[in-house]
Amino acid sequence: MEKFVINGKKKLNGEVTISGAKNAAVAIMPAALLANGVCKIDNLPNIEDIRCFYDAMTKMGVKCEILDKHSMSIDSTNIKSFTADYDSIKAIRASYYLLGVLLGRFKKAEVALPGGCDFGSRPIDQHIKGFEALGATVTIERGMIIATADELIGSTIYLDVVSVGATINIMLAAVYAKGVTIIENAAKEPHVVDTANFLNKLGAKIKGAGTDTIKITGVEELFACDYSVIPDQIEAGTYMIAAAITNGDVTVKNIIPKHMDSLTAKLKEMNCEIEEYDDAIRVIGTDNLVTTNIKTLAYPGFPTDLQPQMTSLLCVAKGRGVITETVWDSRFQYVTELKRLGANIQTDGRLALIDGVDGLYGSTVSASDLRAGAALIIAGLCAEGTTTIKNVKYIDRGYECVEHKLANLGADITRVKCES
Ligand code: EPU
């Protein structure tokens, strides 16, 4: 096991380069199984979730070849199994994309119920509803989701909730379905658009990704291509918040600034100075950080995946800020840990009231999930003294070389082996 040890109160300064988007990469890797031939995927983040997909797909007989730290070739010509068992995919939530892909191309899929970050109930009823609307039979037996079909036929599917996973999964299943599939109330996140762009490059006919309505016209065949994954909106946001909390001056490079609009607006409200460039954003901190209110929403609203990190920032801003989580039922587990660092937060269901304090102090805390871990790192960076963060494995799922990137900006952070 490993932990991070942070000696706080160092201003971050300099430039950080953002990796490829985790949540796009975990859709695009399995999506490559839809194509004939060898896909080469570039700008993959070098993170644990990608390694899990590599292992799971290799076990299924897919030839995955690591070309360098950030690129991989994927060849499904000799795929021999349409099953992803619990041991292969227990750590990754996005394993459910294998269902859409295998069902779409081979009309049969057996995938263990998804694991991944645990912050309350994470249903997949909308994915299943979509597959069934296309003509599949879906059952859950002994912890496995089994989807089969003789053929898939296009249909109109209205999503009861805006779901990133269901939108992508239905697109994956529908690319080979006969006729036209329409997804109404679709998610518009950048990774939905990136996955659609990849599928279109393979030869799919998808229109409207990035709007509420996506139209997929089924095709007979898809052919391999080379593709580069978009930059990670959430990793970028995490470094922007880290710059703000340390009153630093950081240029976050290799990003799509438009994806950051909701965060940029909030940081400006809090008195940070923001400079936007074509593919970078510079965040200049302030010693007069004032609080704000945040409501998480589907894109282009404020992302739930930056909610915990933002809570850390509000902890040291003047005044009372309110965070309303509207995407997940429960995503405030990390608040107990922030309180160990001196935060003044009250939670009530989907609400957190945060009264800014003069400063945080170091202590030992534990990450309960990926973004919770990021929030604790951010808090540790501005805390007086030493903060030790346990359960680093969650952070490694989604942040590439986080301690090196932060150390390059001047943070005092080290990874240390530990017993528990
Ligand atoms: N929902 C349903 N039924 C479904 C699917 C979703 O009720 O069938 C509900 C969920 O309970 C939730 C809401 O719809 O209340 C949104 O869930 P969504 O399906 O959009 O989430 P997801 O696809 O499982 C992705 C990201 C999450 C991110 C959410 C919301 C991936 C692999 N994961 O999850 O990212 O929080 O969208 O933006 O893309 C993370 O990166 O740390 C992470 C958790």
Side-chain angles (χ1 to χ4, degrees), residues 22-23 96 123-127 163-165 305 327-328 371:
K22 168 180 93 74
N23 289 344
Y96 49 46
I124 56 162
D125 56 300
Q126 299 300 305
H127 305 228
S163 160
V164 171
D305 292 342
V327 177
W328 297 109
R371 309 304 173 189

Side-chain angles (χ1 to χ4, degrees), residues 107-307:
K107 310 290 176 280
K108 52 187 166 189
E110 206 169 312
V111 177
L113 282 163
C117 281
D118 181 11
F119 37 79
S121 159
R122 298 185 70 177
I124 56 162
D125 56 300
Q126 299 300 305
H127 305 228
I128 293 174
K129 167 175 142 172
F131 298 153
E132 288 176 341
L134 297 175
T137 302
V138 185
T139 53
I140 299 178
E141 292 167 33
R142 294 163 282 105
M144 301 294 283
I145 309 167
I146 302 167
T148 52
D150 293 329
E151 63 173 349
L152 296 174
I153 297 176
S155 175
T156 295
I157 300 148
Y158 173 81
L159 296 180
D160 299 327
V161 288
V162 180
S163 160
V164 171
T167 303
I168 293 180
N169 230 346
I170 296 168
M171 282 197 310
L172 296 171
V175 284
Y176 281 124
K178 285 209 176 80
V180 175
T181 299
I182 295 187
I183 308 174
E184 302 274 19
N185 199 25
K188 297 180 275 210
E189 267 66 5
H191 31 294
V192 173
V193 178
D194 203 35
T195 308
N197 287 344
F198 172 65
L199 292 170
N200 281 340
K201 205 168 175 202
L202 296 177
K205 289 193 177 147
I206 302 176
K207 284 191 175 157
T211 74
D212 295 323
T213 305
I214 300 180
K215 180 177 168 191
I216 305 136
T217 306
V219 295
E220 298 275 318
E221 240 178 335
L222 295 173
F223 296 97
C225 72
D226 291 355
Y227 195 78
S228 186
V229 174
I230 52 162
D232 197 305
Q233 174 204 21
I234 306 301
E235 191 199 15
T238 302
Y239 285 98
M240 287 170 67
I241 297 169
I245 206 167
T246 61
N247 191 3
D249 180 349
V250 173
T251 301
V252 182
K253 290 170 52 180
N254 184 36
I255 63 169
I256 300 172
K258 181 84 197 137
H259 293 168
M260 310 312 305
D261 280 355
S262 58
L263 175 62
T264 299
K266 285 292 155 188
L267 291 180
K268 281 183 179 166
E269 277 178 30
M270 297 181 78
N271 280 342
C272 293
E273 209 180 305
I274 307 282
E275 291 175 7
E276 272 192 34
Y277 302 92
D278 286 348
D279 64 352
I281 289 184
R282 180 176 174 195
V283 179
I284 305 167
T286 171
D287 51 16
N288 182 28
L289 202 59
V290 296
T291 200
T292 186
N293 299 325
I294 307 272
K295 189 183 252 191
T296 65
L297 289 166
Y299 189 82
F302 193 93
T304 173
D305 292 342
L306 286 175
Q307 178 261 98

